[in-house]
Amino acid sequence: MTTLPLPYRVTAVSAENADCVSLEVAPVGRALPDFSPGRFAMMYAFGVGEVPISVSAIPGGHRLVHTVRAIGAVTGALCRLRPGDVLGLRGPYGTGWDLGAAAGSDLLVVAGGIGLAPLRPVVRHVLDHTDGYGRLHVLIGTRTPEDLLYRGELEDWRRSSAQVEITVDRPGPGWRGSVGVVTTLLDRVESAPDRTTALVCGPEVMIRHTARALLARGLPAHRVQVSLERNMRCGTGHCGHCQLGPLLLCRDGPVVGYDRTGPLLAVREL
Ligand SMILES: Cc1cc2nc3c(=O)[nH]c(=O)nc-3n(C[C@H](O)[C@H](O)[C@H](O)COP(=O)(O)OP(=O)(O)OC[C@H]3O[C@@H](n4cnc5c(N)ncnc54)[C@H](O)[C@@H]3O)c2cc1C
Ligand code: FES
Protein backbone atom coordinates (compact mmCIF):
# COMPACT_ATOMS: atom_id res chain seq x y z
CA MET A 1 0.00 0.00 0.00
CA THR A 2 1.42 3.34 -1.04
CA THR A 3 1.36 6.36 1.25
CA LEU A 4 2.22 8.68 -1.65
CA PRO A 5 -0.66 9.77 -3.87
CA LEU A 6 -0.72 8.16 -7.30
CA PRO A 7 -1.92 10.24 -10.27
CA TYR A 8 -5.45 9.41 -11.44
CA ARG A 9 -7.17 11.06 -14.39
CA VAL A 10 -10.81 12.14 -14.25
CA THR A 11 -12.60 10.14 -16.96
CA ALA A 12 -16.18 11.25 -16.30
CA VAL A 13 -17.99 13.82 -14.17
CA SER A 14 -21.67 13.72 -13.28
CA ALA A 15 -23.51 16.33 -11.25
CA GLU A 16 -25.68 14.47 -8.72
CA ASN A 17 -27.35 17.57 -7.26
CA ALA A 18 -26.56 21.24 -6.61
CA ASP A 19 -23.44 20.51 -4.50
CA CYS A 20 -22.49 16.86 -5.15
CA VAL A 21 -20.49 15.52 -8.04
CA SER A 22 -19.48 11.95 -8.93
CA LEU A 23 -15.97 11.68 -10.35
CA GLU A 24 -14.94 8.57 -12.25
CA VAL A 25 -11.16 8.26 -12.20
CA ALA A 26 -8.63 5.89 -13.79
CA PRO A 27 -4.92 5.46 -13.01
CA VAL A 28 -2.49 7.40 -15.18
CA GLY A 29 0.15 4.71 -14.52
CA ARG A 30 0.28 2.32 -11.59
CA ALA A 31 -3.09 1.51 -9.97
CA LEU A 32 -3.91 1.35 -6.27
CA PRO A 33 -4.88 -2.05 -4.81
CA ASP A 34 -8.54 -3.02 -5.19
CA PHE A 35 -11.14 -1.14 -3.14
CA SER A 36 -14.13 -2.79 -1.47
CA PRO A 37 -17.43 -1.16 -0.41
CA GLY A 38 -17.08 1.10 2.64
CA ARG A 39 -13.34 1.76 2.28
CA PHE A 40 -12.02 5.20 1.42
CA ALA A 41 -9.25 7.01 -0.44
CA MET A 42 -7.33 10.12 0.49
CA MET A 43 -8.03 12.38 -2.52
CA TYR A 44 -5.54 15.12 -3.25
CA ALA A 45 -6.55 18.22 -5.17
CA PHE A 46 -3.12 19.44 -6.29
CA GLY A 47 -2.11 22.68 -4.62
CA VAL A 48 -5.17 22.70 -2.35
CA GLY A 49 -5.13 19.70 -0.03
CA GLU A 50 -6.16 16.16 0.71
CA VAL A 51 -9.42 14.74 2.14
CA PRO A 52 -10.88 11.29 2.85
CA ILE A 53 -13.60 10.28 0.36
CA SER A 54 -15.37 6.91 0.20
CA VAL A 55 -15.58 4.85 -2.91
CA SER A 56 -19.12 5.16 -4.32
CA ALA A 57 -18.80 2.68 -7.20
CA ILE A 58 -16.19 0.16 -8.33
CA PRO A 59 -16.80 -0.24 -12.08
CA GLY A 60 -13.73 -2.47 -12.68
CA GLY A 61 -10.69 -2.04 -14.90
CA HIS A 62 -9.00 -0.15 -12.02
CA ARG A 63 -11.54 2.65 -12.40
CA LEU A 64 -13.15 4.12 -9.27
CA VAL A 65 -16.07 6.47 -8.65
CA HIS A 66 -16.17 8.91 -5.75
CA THR A 67 -19.11 11.17 -4.93
CA VAL A 68 -17.98 14.46 -3.39
CA ARG A 69 -20.06 17.11 -1.67
CA ALA A 70 -18.54 20.59 -1.95
CA ILE A 71 -18.42 21.98 1.58
CA GLY A 72 -14.97 23.58 1.77
CA ALA A 73 -11.67 24.29 0.05
CA VAL A 74 -10.62 20.76 -0.93
CA THR A 75 -14.02 19.26 -1.69
CA GLY A 76 -14.85 22.45 -3.63
CA ALA A 77 -11.70 22.04 -5.75
CA LEU A 78 -12.48 18.35 -6.37
CA CYS A 79 -16.01 19.22 -7.49
CA ARG A 80 -14.62 21.69 -10.03
CA LEU A 81 -12.45 19.06 -11.78
CA ARG A 82 -13.29 18.29 -15.41
CA PRO A 83 -12.67 15.18 -17.55
CA GLY A 84 -8.94 14.99 -18.35
CA ASP A 85 -7.84 16.70 -15.11
CA VAL A 86 -5.50 14.79 -12.81
CA LEU A 87 -5.77 14.34 -9.03
CA GLY A 88 -3.79 12.33 -6.47
CA LEU A 89 -5.17 9.23 -4.80
CA ARG A 90 -3.88 6.97 -2.05
CA GLY A 91 -5.52 4.05 -0.31
CA PRO A 92 -7.58 1.97 0.03
CA TYR A 93 -7.91 2.76 3.72
CA GLY A 94 -10.10 1.72 6.62
CA THR A 95 -12.47 -1.13 7.21
CA GLY A 96 -15.22 -1.81 4.72
CA TRP A 97 -18.77 -3.01 5.30
CA ASP A 98 -18.54 -6.52 6.75
CA LEU A 99 -20.56 -8.33 4.10
CA GLY A 100 -19.21 -11.68 5.31
CA ALA A 101 -21.02 -11.16 8.62
CA ALA A 102 -24.15 -10.17 6.70
CA ALA A 103 -24.17 -13.23 4.44
CA GLY A 104 -27.51 -15.05 4.48
CA SER A 105 -29.31 -12.31 6.42
CA ASP A 106 -31.71 -9.61 5.31
CA LEU A 107 -29.90 -6.33 4.75
CA LEU A 108 -31.23 -3.02 5.97
CA VAL A 109 -29.32 -0.12 4.43
CA VAL A 110 -30.05 3.26 6.06
CA ALA A 111 -28.53 6.39 4.51
CA GLY A 112 -28.70 10.09 5.30
CA GLY A 113 -27.62 12.60 2.63
CA ILE A 114 -24.13 11.98 1.23
CA GLY A 115 -24.09 8.85 3.46
CA LEU A 116 -25.66 7.02 0.53
CA ALA A 117 -22.33 7.28 -1.36
CA PRO A 118 -20.39 4.62 0.61
CA LEU A 119 -23.51 2.43 0.69
CA ARG A 120 -24.12 2.44 -3.07
CA PRO A 121 -21.44 -0.20 -3.81
CA VAL A 122 -23.02 -2.45 -1.16
CA VAL A 123 -26.43 -2.17 -2.79
CA ARG A 124 -24.95 -2.94 -6.20
CA HIS A 125 -22.97 -5.88 -4.79
CA VAL A 126 -25.99 -7.39 -3.04
CA LEU A 127 -28.20 -6.99 -6.12
CA ASP A 128 -25.51 -8.76 -8.16
CA HIS A 129 -25.29 -11.60 -5.61
CA THR A 130 -28.88 -12.10 -4.49
CA ASP A 131 -28.22 -15.78 -3.71
CA GLY A 132 -25.94 -14.81 -0.84
CA TYR A 133 -28.38 -12.57 1.05
CA GLY A 134 -32.01 -12.33 2.11
CA ARG A 135 -34.16 -9.31 1.31
CA LEU A 136 -32.61 -5.89 0.71
CA HIS A 137 -34.26 -2.78 2.17
CA VAL A 138 -32.83 0.67 1.41
CA LEU A 139 -34.06 3.63 3.47
CA ILE A 140 -32.91 7.08 2.38
CA GLY A 141 -33.31 10.42 4.14
CA THR A 142 -32.44 13.63 2.32
CA ARG A 143 -32.93 17.37 2.84
CA THR A 144 -35.12 18.05 -0.18
CA PRO A 145 -36.26 15.98 -3.19
CA GLU A 146 -33.68 17.83 -5.31
CA ASP A 147 -30.85 16.65 -3.02
CA LEU A 148 -31.56 12.97 -3.65
CA LEU A 149 -28.44 11.18 -4.94
CA TYR A 150 -28.38 8.64 -7.80
CA ARG A 151 -31.97 9.40 -8.79
CA GLY A 152 -31.69 7.50 -12.08
CA GLU A 153 -30.42 4.40 -10.32
CA LEU A 154 -32.99 4.04 -7.53
CA GLU A 155 -35.66 2.75 -9.92
CA ASP A 156 -33.21 0.09 -11.15
CA TRP A 157 -32.69 -1.01 -7.55
CA ARG A 158 -36.45 -1.32 -7.08
CA ARG A 159 -36.80 -3.30 -10.32
CA SER A 160 -34.00 -5.62 -9.16
CA SER A 161 -35.91 -6.58 -5.98
CA ALA A 162 -34.76 -3.99 -3.42
CA GLN A 163 -37.35 -2.19 -1.29
CA VAL A 164 -36.37 1.49 -1.60
CA GLU A 165 -38.06 4.05 0.66
CA ILE A 166 -37.30 7.78 0.63
CA THR A 167 -38.14 10.59 3.01
CA VAL A 168 -37.28 14.29 2.83
CA ASP A 169 -36.90 17.01 5.48
CA ARG A 170 -38.47 19.72 3.31
CA PRO A 171 -40.86 18.72 0.52
CA GLY A 172 -41.09 20.84 -2.58
CA PRO A 173 -44.13 21.35 -4.77
CA GLY A 174 -45.15 18.05 -6.33
CA TRP A 175 -43.52 15.82 -3.70
CA ARG A 176 -45.97 13.08 -2.75
CA GLY A 177 -43.60 10.93 -0.72
CA SER A 178 -42.73 10.82 2.97
CA VAL A 179 -41.66 13.81 5.01
CA GLY A 180 -39.65 13.43 8.21
CA VAL A 181 -36.54 11.81 9.59
CA VAL A 182 -35.28 8.52 8.16
CA THR A 183 -36.16 6.53 11.30
CA THR A 184 -39.86 7.00 10.45
CA LEU A 185 -39.28 4.64 7.50
CA LEU A 186 -38.26 1.75 9.77
CA ASP A 187 -41.92 0.84 10.34
CA ARG A 188 -42.24 -0.03 6.63
CA VAL A 189 -39.59 -2.75 6.85
CA GLU A 190 -40.83 -6.27 7.45
CA SER A 191 -37.79 -8.16 8.61
CA ALA A 192 -37.14 -10.26 11.71
CA PRO A 193 -34.48 -8.62 13.91
CA ASP A 194 -32.66 -11.92 14.47
CA ARG A 195 -31.97 -12.32 10.76
CA THR A 196 -31.26 -8.72 9.82
CA THR A 197 -27.97 -6.84 9.45
CA ALA A 198 -28.15 -3.05 9.32
CA LEU A 199 -25.62 -0.80 7.56
CA VAL A 200 -25.95 2.87 8.51
CA CYS A 201 -24.19 6.00 7.22
CA GLY A 202 -25.04 9.68 7.47
CA PRO A 203 -24.63 12.60 9.87
CA GLU A 204 -23.63 11.41 13.34
CA VAL A 205 -26.91 12.47 14.95
CA MET A 206 -28.81 10.44 12.35
CA ILE A 207 -26.56 7.43 12.99
CA ARG A 208 -27.20 7.60 16.75
CA HIS A 209 -30.98 7.88 16.38
CA THR A 210 -31.12 5.13 13.77
CA ALA A 211 -28.94 2.75 15.77
CA ARG A 212 -31.01 3.30 18.90
CA ALA A 213 -34.26 2.73 17.00
CA LEU A 214 -32.84 -0.51 15.58
CA LEU A 215 -31.73 -1.70 19.02
CA ALA A 216 -35.21 -0.89 20.35
CA ARG A 217 -36.60 -3.15 17.60
CA GLY A 218 -34.42 -6.00 18.83
CA LEU A 219 -31.38 -5.89 16.54
CA PRO A 220 -28.24 -6.84 18.44
CA ALA A 221 -25.71 -3.97 18.49
CA HIS A 222 -23.03 -6.00 16.72
CA ARG A 223 -25.39 -6.43 13.75
CA VAL A 224 -25.66 -2.66 13.35
CA GLN A 225 -22.64 -1.54 11.34
CA VAL A 226 -22.13 2.24 11.28
CA SER A 227 -19.70 4.34 9.21
CA LEU A 228 -18.32 7.30 11.13
CA GLU A 229 -16.53 10.44 9.98
CA ARG A 230 -13.70 12.21 11.70
CA ASN A 231 -11.16 14.77 10.61
CA MET A 232 -8.38 12.71 9.01
CA ARG A 233 -4.85 13.53 8.01
CA CYS A 234 -2.62 10.48 7.52
CA GLY A 235 -5.33 7.87 6.91
CA THR A 236 -2.94 5.19 8.13
CA GLY A 237 -3.26 5.16 11.93
CA HIS A 238 -0.24 7.35 12.69
CA CYS A 239 -1.27 10.96 13.40
CA GLY A 240 -4.17 10.48 15.86
CA HIS A 241 -6.46 13.04 14.18
CA CYS A 242 -9.31 10.60 13.80
CA GLN A 243 -9.42 9.29 17.36
CA LEU A 244 -12.71 8.20 18.94
CA GLY A 245 -11.93 6.84 22.41
CA PRO A 246 -9.56 3.90 21.88
CA LEU A 247 -10.38 3.75 18.14
CA LEU A 248 -8.52 5.36 15.27
CA LEU A 249 -11.30 5.63 12.73
CA CYS A 250 -9.02 5.62 9.68
CA ARG A 251 -7.70 2.22 10.76
CA ASP A 252 -10.37 0.66 13.04
CA GLY A 253 -13.19 2.30 11.06
CA PRO A 254 -14.83 4.07 9.37
CA VAL A 255 -17.17 1.06 9.53
CA VAL A 256 -17.45 -0.24 13.10
CA GLY A 257 -20.12 -2.25 14.93
CA TYR A 258 -22.43 -0.22 17.13
CA ASP A 259 -21.50 -2.54 20.02
CA ARG A 260 -18.08 -0.82 19.97
CA THR A 261 -19.09 2.71 18.98
CA GLY A 262 -22.44 3.18 20.75
CA PRO A 263 -20.94 3.79 24.21
CA LEU A 264 -18.26 6.11 22.74
CA LEU A 265 -20.81 8.20 20.85
CA ALA A 266 -23.07 8.40 23.92
CA VAL A 267 -20.18 9.82 26.00
CA ARG A 268 -19.67 12.56 23.38
CA GLU A 269 -23.30 13.65 23.87
CA LEU A 270 -22.82 14.38 27.59
C1 LIG B 1 -13.90 8.01 6.10
C2 LIG B 1 -14.53 9.23 5.49
C3 LIG B 1 -15.20 9.12 4.29
C4 LIG B 1 -15.78 10.26 3.71
N1 LIG B 1 -16.43 10.10 2.53
C5 LIG B 1 -16.94 11.18 1.92
C6 LIG B 1 -17.58 11.05 0.66
O1 LIG B 1 -17.72 9.97 0.10
N2 LIG B 1 -18.03 12.18 0.06
C7 LIG B 1 -17.91 13.41 0.65
O2 LIG B 1 -18.34 14.41 0.06
N3 LIG B 1 -17.34 13.57 1.86
C8 LIG B 1 -16.84 12.48 2.50
N4 LIG B 1 -16.21 12.64 3.71
C9 LIG B 1 -16.16 13.99 4.31
C10 LIG B 1 -15.01 14.80 3.67
O3 LIG B 1 -13.79 14.19 3.98
C11 LIG B 1 -15.07 16.24 4.23
O4 LIG B 1 -16.19 16.87 3.72
C12 LIG B 1 -13.83 17.00 3.82
O5 LIG B 1 -12.73 16.55 4.59
C13 LIG B 1 -14.01 18.51 4.01
O6 LIG B 1 -12.81 19.13 3.55
P1 LIG B 1 -12.81 20.59 2.89
O7 LIG B 1 -11.40 21.06 2.83
O8 LIG B 1 -13.57 20.59 1.62
O9 LIG B 1 -13.65 21.44 3.90
P2 LIG B 1 -13.14 22.14 5.31
O10 LIG B 1 -12.59 23.47 4.88
O11 LIG B 1 -12.24 21.18 5.98
O12 LIG B 1 -14.48 22.28 5.99
C14 LIG B 1 -15.49 23.20 5.59
C15 LIG B 1 -16.53 23.28 6.68
O13 LIG B 1 -17.22 22.03 6.79
C16 LIG B 1 -17.04 21.46 8.10
N5 LIG B 1 -16.78 20.03 7.90
C17 LIG B 1 -15.61 19.44 7.60
N6 LIG B 1 -15.76 18.12 7.47
C18 LIG B 1 -17.07 17.88 7.69
C19 LIG B 1 -17.87 16.71 7.69
N7 LIG B 1 -17.36 15.51 7.49
N8 LIG B 1 -19.20 16.85 7.93
C20 LIG B 1 -19.74 18.06 8.16
N9 LIG B 1 -19.04 19.19 8.18
C21 LIG B 1 -17.73 19.10 7.95
C22 LIG B 1 -15.84 22.16 8.68
O14 LIG B 1 -15.95 22.21 10.10
C23 LIG B 1 -15.96 23.54 8.07
O15 LIG B 1 -16.90 24.33 8.75
C24 LIG B 1 -15.67 11.52 4.33
C25 LIG B 1 -14.99 11.63 5.56
C26 LIG B 1 -14.43 10.51 6.13
C27 LIG B 1 -13.71 10.64 7.43
S1 FES C 1 -6.00 10.03 10.23
FE1 FES C 1 -4.07 9.80 11.20
S2 FES C 1 -4.44 8.32 12.72
FE2 FES C 1 -6.29 8.38 11.58
Side-chain angles (χ1 to χ4, degrees):
M1 181 166 51
T2 178
T3 50
L4 286 177
L6 295 182
Y8 271 65
R9 194 176 303 284
V10 177
T11 48
V13 176
S14 37
E16 301 289 355
N17 60 32
D19 54 10
C20 292
V21 160
S22 286
L23 299 172
E24 185 193 78
V25 296
V28 171
R30 189 154 66 90
L32 293 172
D34 289 344
F35 280 66
S36 57
R39 303 196 75 191
F40 69 92
M42 294 299 292
M43 295 187 88
Y44 183 37
F46 290 116
V48 187
E50 201 183 29
V51 288
I53 301 288
S54 307
V55 63
S56 69
I58 308 167
H62 296 307
R63 286 171 303 148
L64 295 167
V65 179
H66 297 270
T67 303
V68 187
R69 180 168 171 226
I71 63 159
V74 182
T75 49
L78 291 170
C79 286
R80 286 191 295 275
L81 293 175
R82 309 307 323 153
D85 288 344
V86 174
L87 51 75
L89 216 64
R90 57 189 178 95
Y93 295 134
T95 54
W97 302 105
D98 188 353
L99 290 174
S105 69
D106 289 350
L107 272 176
L108 174 53
V109 166
V110 190
I114 188 78
L116 186 57
L119 286 162
R120 175 165 73 155
V122 171
V123 173
R124 288 183 169 187
H125 171 87
V126 173
L127 291 176
D128 286 344
H129 300 84
T130 44
D131 288 355
Y133 305 92
R135 285 176 297 177
L136 172 62
H137 312 272
V138 183
L139 310 184
I140 302 169
T142 184
R143 287 173 299 187
T144 68
E146 292 71 36
D147 288 315
L148 193 58
L149 292 178
Y150 316 130
R151 253 174 279 185
E153 204 171 313
L154 302 181
E155 237 357 89
D156 295 341
W157 296 357
R158 284 196 178 106
R159 274 194 292 271
S160 318
S161 77
Q163 177 191 3
V164 181
E165 304 283 350
I166 299 161
T167 184
V168 302
D169 294 336
R170 296 191 303 278
W175 175 254
R176 291 193 175 72
S178 300
V179 179
V181 292
V182 73
T183 44
T184 59
L185 299 176
L186 289 173
D187 288 337
R188 300 196 189 166
V189 174
E190 285 180 26
S191 184
D194 58 348
R195 56 176 168 79
T196 301
T197 301
L199 313 179
V200 186
C201 187
E204 199 160 298
V205 62
M206 168 266 174
I207 290 180
R208 282 200 310 265
H209 285 293
T210 304
R212 285 175 191 164
L214 291 169
L215 264 49
R217 281 169 166 76
L219 254 81
H222 71 275
R223 296 198 76 134
V224 179
Q225 301 179 24
V226 301
S227 182
L228 295 172
E229 280 190 14
R230 282 294 174 282
N231 189 356
M232 289 185 183
R233 193 144 304 164
C234 69
T236 54
H238 290 98
C239 72
H241 268 77
C242 63
Q243 187 161 6
L244 174 65
L247 305 176
L248 291 175
L249 285 176
C250 67
R251 182 193 66 193
D252 308 314
V255 179
V256 199
Y258 198 67
D259 51 330
R260 295 174 71 199
T261 51
L264 302 171
L265 296 177
V267 166
R268 284 169 44 82
E269 278 179 281
L270 297 175

